[in-house]
Structure formats: structure tokens, C-alpha cells
């Protein structure tokens, strides 16, 4: 039985475990466990929730997962997609921050809150308090890319290596919305107009 299978077996027994616990159990680095977890997450076997790892079961899901992005219709493959909550009722997920900002535009007349996840740590951040690198050469999803960070220092370091502008939420939102004077689906599919 390989380590990933053993991780699943441990989760069946314990229901919840942390990366640190798994690193101690297997006597490997936390980075090694993160790689295993990332693979298991992509396979849909597990989910991460508030620093813990759980089996991906109905009971463990916080919100109903949307299979495709409501903006560009790409499959949502990120473990932690951009989420907006509308009028404290309905939660929508976008494939990336770029599409998340365009979702905000669609619901500009509603009360909206949003959560994104730090690019480095994957810790949740209130989207309005994050710093974003917009237009870097790194394009994890839609273009222009919008990559979130919890600290300006980390965003500055990323921008130094990959280019782009470090912006606040409002600045990044305006940058994306103002440059999207073309068909939304075309921009998100990477077509040049």
C-alpha cells in the first residue's frame, strides 16, 4: 500500500487529520505530504478545511460545488475556487479571481462578500483585504491573470519574478472590469480580438 492509500485509510479511521500529523506518522516532510494531498484533492478523494484534511463526503462539503465557472464555463478544478456570497444566501464559485471579479460586476447591486485563497499558503483571505498581481506571465487560468496574496510583500516578490502589477482589491477589480470591453467568453478562452 502506498502513502496516498495509507492517508485515505487513516482518514477513514480518524475522519480528520492535519498535514503535521501525517508528516509525523510517515516520517517525511510536510512538503511531501502537501504533494500527496494535492494529488488526492485533484482526484476528488479529500478536501481541505480550516487546516485539516477530510474525506470528500457529502457531510464535509461547505457549499454545493459548481462544476463549471458561471463566467467562462471552464471546469472549476482548483481545490479552493474564488467564492462570492450574495445577500448572505447564495454562494457562487468562479474558476479564478479574474472571473470572480466579473461575477462581482454582475451582482453590483447586491450585498456581496467574497473569499479567495493565498497563492502561496492556500489560506483563506477576505477578497477585499487581499493584494493581487494582475497581468503576470504566470497564467494559471483566465487572462489577464489575477493572483491573490495575503501580504503585499509576497505579492511584490511574485511580481518581481513574474511581472504584473500589485493592486488592492478595488484597483484589481477596476483593472479587470475596465479591460473587458469584449465578449467575456472570448477573453477567458484566450482568443485575441
Amino acid at each position: 500500500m502506498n502513502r496516498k492509500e495509507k492517508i485515505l485509510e487513516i482518514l477513514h479511521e480518524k475522519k480528520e487529520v492535519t498535514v503535521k500529523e501525517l508528516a509525523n506518522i510517515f516520517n517525511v516532510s510536510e512538503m511531501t505530504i502537501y504533494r500527496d494531498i494535492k494529488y488526492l484533492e485533484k482526484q476528488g478523494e479529500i478536501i481541505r478545511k480550516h487546516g485539516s484534511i477530510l474525506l470528500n463526503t457529502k457531510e464535509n462539503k461547505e457549499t454545493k460545488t459548481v462544476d463549471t465557472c458561471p463566467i467562462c464555463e471552464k471546469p472549476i478544478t482548483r481545490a479552493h475556487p474564488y467564492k462570492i456570497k450574495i445577500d448572505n444566501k447564495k454562494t457562487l464559485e468562479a474558476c479564478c479571481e479574474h472571473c470572480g471579479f466579473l461575477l462581482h460586476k454582475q451582482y453590483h447591486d447586491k450585498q456581496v462578500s467574497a473569499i479567495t485563497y493565498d497563492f502561496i499558503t492556500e489560506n483563506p483571505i477576505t477578497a477585499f483585504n487581499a493584494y493581487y498581481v494582475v497581468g503576470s506571465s504566470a497564467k494559471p487560468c483566465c487572462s489577464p491573470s489575477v493572483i491573490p496574496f495575503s501580504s503585499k510583500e509576497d505579492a511584490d516578490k511574485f511580481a518581481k519574478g513574474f511581472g504584473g502589477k500589485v493592486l488592492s482589491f478595488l484597483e484589481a477589480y477596476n483593472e479587470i472590469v475596465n479591460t473587458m470591453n469584449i465578449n467575456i467568453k472570448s477573453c477567458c478562452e484566450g482568443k485575441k480580438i
Side-chain angles (χ1 to χ4, degrees):
M1 185 181 291
N2 70 32
R3 190 174 50 242
K4 292 176 191 91
E5 290 169 340
K6 288 180 183 174
I7 289 171
L8 292 174
E9 188 176 281
I10 290 167
L11 283 169
H12 279 288
E13 291 171 18
K14 293 179 111 183
K15 306 293 182 217
E16 189 172 334
V17 69
T18 65
V19 169
K20 190 173 193 153
E21 288 174 302
L22 290 173
N24 289 333
I25 290 168
F26 293 107
N27 198 27
V28 296
S29 71
E30 289 182 18
M31 188 53 68
T32 298
I33 296 298
Y34 275 117
R35 282 191 292 272
D36 290 343
I37 287 167
K38 197 162 208 123
Y39 173 83
L40 291 169
E41 219 170 16
K42 283 184 179 180
Q43 298 302 311
E45 296 284 344
I46 64 167
I47 58 172
R48 288 191 253 182
K49 186 175 180 182
H50 309 296
S52 294
I53 301 147
L54 305 120
L55 286 173
N56 188 9
T57 62
K58 247 186 192 176
E59 304 84 54
N60 291 337
K61 290 190 180 184
E62 289 180 350
T63 61
K64 185 179 177 188
T65 303
V66 177
D67 294 331
T68 58
C69 179
I71 297 294
C72 70
E73 298 178 1
K74 285 183 183 177
I76 297 175
T77 57
R78 285 174 46 184
H80 304 295
Y82 190 93
K83 295 179 185 177
I84 69 169
K85 193 164 198 167
I86 302 142
D87 292 333
N88 285 323
K89 296 175 192 163
K90 181 179 179 181
T91 300
L92 292 174
E93 296 178 343
C95 63
C96 62
E97 285 67 21
H98 169 109
C99 288
F101 289 170
L102 296 174
L103 267 179
H104 281 282
K105 183 181 178 199
Q106 285 185 359
Y107 294 97
H108 70 276
D109 58 339
K110 306 278 185 198
Q111 181 183 5
V112 174
S113 60
I115 295 287
T116 189
Y117 295 83
D118 182 273
F119 184 74
I120 297 169
T121 65
E122 294 187 348
N123 288 331
I125 338 165
T126 301
F128 307 124
N129 294 334
Y131 295 91
Y132 299 89
V133 176
V134 177
S136 74
S137 62
K139 293 181 176 46
C141 199
C142 298
S143 208
S145 62
V146 180
I147 300 175
F149 294 89
S150 57
S151 80
K152 187 172 185 321
E153 181 183 344
D154 287 342
D156 286 334
K157 287 178 187 175
F158 185 88
K160 186 175 181 181
F162 293 94
K165 297 187 262 186
V166 177
L167 303 171
S168 68
F169 172 85
L170 192 56
E171 293 166 331
Y173 169 84
N174 285 330
E175 179 85 11
I176 294 301
V177 169
N178 291 335
T179 59
M180 295 296 106
N181 294 328
I182 55 176
N183 179 290
I184 289 173
K185 289 183 182 160
S186 293
C187 81
C188 296
E189 291 173 0
K191 294 179 183 172
K192 199 169 186 176
I193 307 253

